Amino acid sequence: AEQLNREAATYGPDARLEELQSKAREDLSEARSLFAARRYPEARVKAITSRNASQQVIDSARSADTTRSEVRFYRAGDPTRV
């Protein structure tokens, strides 16, 4: 989650991505706090949520100039989402 968050931050200011970048940062911060409090299951969910948001930022920024025909699966707990 941290690595993707750092990579997502390298994609300059873009109004459409700022909200998602902010969510990724907030979720990562909350995951760290939960981990420090030994609330591991909750920390894991927040870390996954942060990772997914960062990946969406990266995907959106990279595909701004291209057409994308790939499918990504995001996992945030038990159900899997496409």
Side-chain angles (χ1 to χ4, degrees):
E2 288 180 30
Q3 182 180 9
L4 287 177
N5 193 275
R6 282 192 299 272
E7 184 178 346
T10 64
Y11 293 99
D14 182 336
R16 64 192 174 92
L17 299 178
E18 283 183 31
E19 183 177 335
L20 202 49
Q21 286 173 324
S22 177
K23 169 108 173 88
R25 283 190 303 271
E26 289 172 13
D27 286 344
L28 182 57
S29 177
E30 191 170 341
R32 288 177 179 144
S33 296
L34 289 165
F35 188 84
R38 297 178 184 229
R39 295 170 57 188
Y40 302 121
E42 294 159 302
R44 181 178 177 273
V45 169
K46 281 295 180 182
I48 290 170
T49 304
S50 174
R51 182 187 68 195
N52 290 346
S54 294
Q55 187 65 57
Q56 288 174 341
V57 168
I58 293 165
D59 291 345
S60 294
R62 286 182 181 166
S63 69
D65 299 328
T66 62
T67 303
R68 212 168 49 140
S69 61
E70 66 184 50
V71 174
R72 286 224 182 246
F73 291 89
Y74 296 98
R75 184 174 171 206
D78 292 332
T80 301
R81 300 179 188 151
V82 176

